């Protein structure tokens, strides 16, 4: 496996592969790789000839009081994990090379897709995400790119971006990988102390309860989201940011769940750590 930190070198490696008729996959990550990332890399490796994993803690998607500085970084360990999962290249460029200008070019998906849910409390987040993924798509020129359903709003933002800017990239959205007890894997789980870690299980439990209500015939989104909110609020260590439901695709507000796919998304703080999770309620075709 190659560790590449140079933009031009990665462009050459990708171009050479494509000229040889090989398919190229990109798995963008911020490192601190866990089994969630591994599932994406594994899928990319299985379905493509060349798998590039980017490891880059993107400064522009963090707000001024967020965890950019303390975000876990361990490139040597990430390289081993990525290689074992099937990566051919780990791309880990320095921030000043990816953002060479003081006044950068921004890519921004406007409208409710980036304003609801995390967009409300993290107003510059999705501009940072769309901008970095644009840069990575231009550098790696992948045929296929792999993302996790864990970041459901991010996938909606990126689908819109790819569609609106005509990127010749196919997006693959992979299922949420969870710990044995149901907590969604996240690089931020290491911030939780034991009591918060235990409390955070309420997220999965409440999403499962929502699925149960839905399968029992409940189609009123307010009833479902109220049930989830009360379950989470009953956990003393939790502070709810949001519990909301939107249609997929497009993140449009729902009343009665009539659309085929509805996203139920939650963001909750346990101590100083903000976790997100979600589930999709699907009406049978
Ligand atoms: P991050 O390193 O947090 O930016 O995540 C990189 C990619 O991994 C994103 O597409 C995430 O949605 C995906 N990802 C993160 N956690 C999980 C998980 N538990 N299951 C599946 N994919 C995940």
């Amino acid at each position: 496996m190659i560790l590449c930190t140079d933009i031009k070198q990665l462009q050459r490696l990708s171009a050479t592969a494509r000229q040889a008729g090989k398919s190229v996959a990109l798995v963008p990550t911020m490192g601190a790789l866990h089994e969630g990332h591994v599932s994406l890399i594994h899928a990319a490796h299985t379905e493509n000839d060349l798998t590039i994993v980017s490891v880059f803690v993107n400064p522009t998607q963090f707000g001024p009081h967020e965890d950019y500085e303390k975000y876990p970084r361990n490139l040597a360990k990430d390289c081993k994990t990525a290689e074992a999962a099937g990566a051919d290249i780990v791309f880990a460029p320095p921030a000043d090379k990816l953002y060479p200008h003081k006044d950068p070019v921004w890519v921004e998906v406007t409208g409710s897709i980036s304003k609801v849910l995390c967009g409300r409390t993290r107003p510059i987040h999705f501009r940072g995400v769309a901008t970095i993924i644009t840069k990575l798509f231009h550098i790696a020129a992948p045929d296929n790119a792999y993302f996790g359903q864990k970041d459901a709003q991010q996938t909606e933002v990126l689908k819109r971006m790819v569609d609106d800017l005509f990127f010749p990239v196919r997006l693959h959205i992979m299922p949420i990988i969870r710990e044995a007890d149901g907590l969604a894997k996240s690089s931020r789980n290491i911030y939780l102390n034991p009591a918060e870690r235990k409390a955070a299980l309420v997220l999965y439990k409440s999403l499962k309860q929502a699925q149960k209500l839905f399968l029992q015939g409940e189609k009123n989104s307010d009833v479902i989201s109220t049930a989830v909110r009360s379950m989470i609020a009953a956990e003393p260590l939790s502070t709810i940011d949001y519990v909301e439901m939107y249609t997929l695709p497009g993140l449009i507000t729902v009343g009665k769940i009539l659309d085929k796919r509805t996203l139920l998304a939650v963001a909750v703080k346990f101590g100083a750590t903000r976790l997100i999770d979600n589930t999709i309620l699907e009406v049978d075709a």
Side-chain angles (χ1 to χ4, degrees):
M1 195 202 68
I2 300 169
L3 170 60
C4 172
T5 57
D6 183 70
I7 291 171
K8 289 221 156 33
Q9 187 196 1
L10 190 77
Q11 282 175 320
R12 276 196 302 273
L13 288 166
S14 171
T16 306
R18 277 178 290 112
Q19 278 152 18
K22 294 182 176 170
S23 58
V24 176
L26 175 68
V27 183
T29 82
M30 297 208 299
L33 300 183
H34 51 64
E35 285 89 340
H37 301 110
V38 164
S39 73
L40 271 51
I41 301 168
H42 191 254
H45 171 66
T46 308
E47 297 165 9
N48 297 272
D49 300 313
L50 182 76
T51 296
I52 303 166
V53 176
S54 60
V55 172
F56 180 67
V57 184
N58 175 34
T60 65
Q61 69 190 65
F62 289 79
H65 305 296
E66 294 182 359
D67 57 343
Y68 174 67
E69 296 298 338
K70 74 164 188 168
Y71 198 85
R73 291 162 170 88
N74 189 339
L75 185 57
K77 187 160 175 263
D78 286 342
C79 284
K80 283 193 187 138
T81 307
E83 184 171 18
D88 301 297
I89 301 173
V90 164
F91 178 52
D96 61 342
K97 293 284 188 274
L98 272 183
Y99 289 98
H101 301 289
K102 195 170 68 61
D103 297 313
V105 172
W106 296 118
V107 178
E108 186 162 15
V109 174
T110 58
S112 70
I113 286 187
S114 15
K115 289 212 169 56
V116 297
L117 301 171
C118 292
R120 218 175 294 121
T121 40
R122 308 185 75 191
I124 60 160
H125 177 68
F126 292 112
R127 183 186 73 174
V129 169
T131 300
I132 191 63
I133 296 299
T134 296
K135 288 172 186 268
L136 292 171
F137 281 0
H138 283 311
I139 298 166
D143 303 288
N144 296 296
Y146 293 77
F147 296 91
Q149 182 60 39
K150 162 89 180 353
D151 295 271
Q153 187 174 14
Q154 170 173 289
T155 67
E156 290 303 301
V157 168
L158 294 177
K159 280 185 206 161
R160 175 61 60 84
M161 181 187 90
V162 161
D163 190 54
D164 213 52
L165 296 182
F166 308 103
F167 275 101
V169 182
R170 193 162 155 227
L171 303 188
H172 300 254
I173 312 304
M174 308 304 294
I176 300 174
I177 303 296
R178 298 179 178 280
E179 303 285 354
D181 59 10
L183 181 67
K185 301 247 182 196
S186 163
S187 306
R188 291 187 167 102
N189 289 350
I190 57 158
Y191 299 154
L192 300 167
N193 69 30
E196 291 160 356
R197 169 70 182 73
K198 199 160 163 235
L201 288 180
V202 74
L203 300 184
Y204 183 56
K205 284 188 194 145
S206 66
L207 294 176
K208 273 209 335 200
Q209 177 61 18
Q211 284 286 0
K212 192 169 157 201
L213 287 174
F214 181 67
L215 289 174
Q216 286 168 349
E218 184 57 67
K219 294 285 183 287
N220 185 325
S221 63
D222 282 344
V223 172
I224 295 179
S225 51
T226 301
V228 171
R229 207 171 287 117
S230 335
M231 258 181 98
I232 298 175
E235 169 48 63
L237 293 182
S238 75
T239 310
I240 295 176
D241 176 356
Y242 61 72
V243 173
E244 285 171 25
M245 294 171 74
Y246 292 94
T247 60
L248 286 175
L251 301 187
I252 295 155
T253 309
V254 282
K256 278 238 178 295
I257 304 172
L258 301 170
D259 289 279
K260 211 166 166 283
R261 300 176 89 228
T262 300
L263 175 71
L264 165 58
V266 301
V268 179
K269 269 181 132 180
F270 296 91
T273 305
R274 182 175 175 280
L275 300 180
I276 57 169
D277 202 344
N278 69 78
T279 191
I280 296 173
L281 306 174
E282 296 219 48
V283 177
D284 291 337

